[in-house]
Amino acid sequence: MGSVRVWVTEAVQWGPARNSIKYGVHVAALGRARVLRARGTMPEVANIFTGSCPRSGSQWAKALFDHPIVRAHTGLFTLPQLGYADGRLPGFPGGTFVPGLYISYDRYRAMRKPFPHRMVYVFRDPREILVSAYGAVSTHRRLSNANQIERALDGKSVDDQLLWLLKNGEGHLRDMATWVGAAEEDETVASWRLEDIAADPASAVAGMLDHCGVHLSPSEMETLLAETSRAALQRRDLAAREPGSESHYRVHQQGYEDLLKPEHYAAIEKVVPGFIEKMGYPPLVY
């Protein structure tokens, strides 16, 4: 069963697998959970969830908890990511790691969670999220709705493109804002800012793993940090793409100071009022 778990992970996690295949993997995970329960071998922490807003480190979090070293400790099967935000949110089978929950805290609380579980939530400055979204579109990164977005942005100025992207993603930003304070309310939730993870990945990773009951040896931690660094993930991403493609982990990164103007700051504040101050990000400057 372990070899099958590894094979399916490699086959459907990172490539453009069809949703029908991904749903099939979810069904297989249900069967695996029944076997674990029947044998009395369900992991002590039976579900790990990672949540965020798109463009906020969700692929890094997935790489972290799907890493073979971490999987060996958790015993969890990594479910392929699906678009849960637009439909009925199901419960998830025990014995699984569920990446990429782009949902509000209220939806998470209402979600059926019958097994012992942990949530790792990652915040990001919404100004940087907007600039990252613009970078993804402007470099023509492979997106499920790339053609639709490109048609909507065609002919618009950079300023108007940014405003359109903000409008298009404002639901995700509002969902992210609902998680402020969730960790104080719910002991199964722990949260980090992406900016703090980037500044001190060793401390952040250690904290995330500890929250999920995972304790690595020093050598395991060293390997994990090296193989989930931005540079390592960028190399892996580029190796899976056509020659000359731009990676999901972009080489040339613009900060929000380079692109955003007062109208963008005002629009962000209207979408998530007070969020930047609550999270301790640098204040808005108009």
Side-chain angles (χ1 to χ4, degrees):
M1 182 173 292
S3 61
V4 172
R5 174 160 59 99
V6 172
W7 180 85
V8 173
T9 292
E10 294 299 325
V12 304
Q13 296 302 327
W14 301 99
R18 295 191 307 272
N19 275 353
S20 58
I21 297 175
K22 294 183 178 183
Y23 282 114
V25 174
H26 276 244
V27 172
L30 281 168
R32 178 177 181 268
R34 294 190 190 100
V35 172
L36 292 174
R37 294 185 71 180
R39 292 178 177 175
T41 56
M42 183 68 71
E44 185 174 350
V45 176
N47 289 116
I48 294 175
F49 307 102
T50 55
S52 64
C53 177
R55 311 303 304 173
S56 300
S58 57
Q59 294 304 306
W60 171 80
K62 181 177 179 180
L64 179 70
F65 284 97
D66 188 49
H67 192 281
I69 288 176
V70 178
R71 289 202 312 264
H73 283 263
T74 65
L76 301 184
F77 172 77
T78 302
L79 289 177
Q81 190 169 335
L82 289 168
Y84 305 115
D86 299 327
R88 184 181 66 83
L89 195 63
F92 294 96
T96 58
F97 159 49
V98 184
L101 284 181
Y102 304 141
I103 60 175
S104 69
Y105 180 50
D106 287 341
R107 286 195 71 196
Y108 171 76
R109 285 197 304 176
M111 186 176 76
R112 187 170 62 85
K113 301 182 286 294
F115 302 101
H117 57 277
R118 298 291 185 273
M119 162 61 85
V120 171
Y121 195 87
V122 177
F123 293 100
R124 190 180 189 184
D125 188 328
R127 295 166 293 191
E128 296 290 10
I129 293 173
L130 178 56
V131 170
S132 180
Y134 174 77
V137 173
S138 65
T139 55
H140 302 282
R141 191 177 66 82
R142 195 166 52 204
L143 298 167
S144 59
N145 56 346
N147 291 336
Q148 175 187 347
I149 293 174
E150 288 175 7
R151 285 195 299 270
L153 298 180
D154 187 43
K156 288 182 170 63
S157 67
V158 172
D159 291 343
D160 286 343
Q161 287 183 20
L162 287 163
L163 289 170
W164 185 93
L165 288 167
L166 176 61
K167 179 68 176 177
N168 188 60
E170 65 182 19
H172 286 306
L173 292 177
R174 289 195 178 100
D175 284 345
M176 179 175 67
T178 68
W179 287 85
V180 176
E184 287 71 39
E185 176 181 321
D186 184 345
E187 65 180 8
T188 70
V189 176
S191 60
W192 282 261
R193 303 191 315 176
L194 185 62
E195 295 81 2
D196 297 331
I197 296 170
D200 188 356
S203 294
V205 169
M208 291 176 178
L209 296 180
D210 184 65
H211 175 65
C212 296
V214 176
H215 307 288
L216 304 184
S217 69
S219 62
E220 287 176 321
M221 179 64 80
E222 182 179 1
T223 299
L224 178 65
L225 290 171
E227 294 183 359
T228 58
S229 69
R230 182 182 177 86
L233 293 177
Q234 184 184 76
R235 287 193 298 269
R236 179 179 178 180
D237 186 47
L238 285 172
R241 297 178 183 270
E242 295 295 326
S245 296
E246 175 76 13
S247 172
H248 172 84
Y249 305 91
R250 292 174 295 126
V251 177
H252 303 294
Q253 300 178 75
Q254 291 177 296
Y256 65 82
E257 302 93 339
D258 302 313
L259 281 178
L260 302 190
K261 295 179 179 177
E263 60 263 37
H264 303 119
Y265 295 147
I268 290 170
E269 177 63 15
K270 185 176 181 181
V271 172
V272 283
F275 174 81
I276 287 173
E277 288 76 12
K278 290 175 186 175
M279 292 302 298
Y281 289 118
L284 293 164
V285 178
Y286 294 93

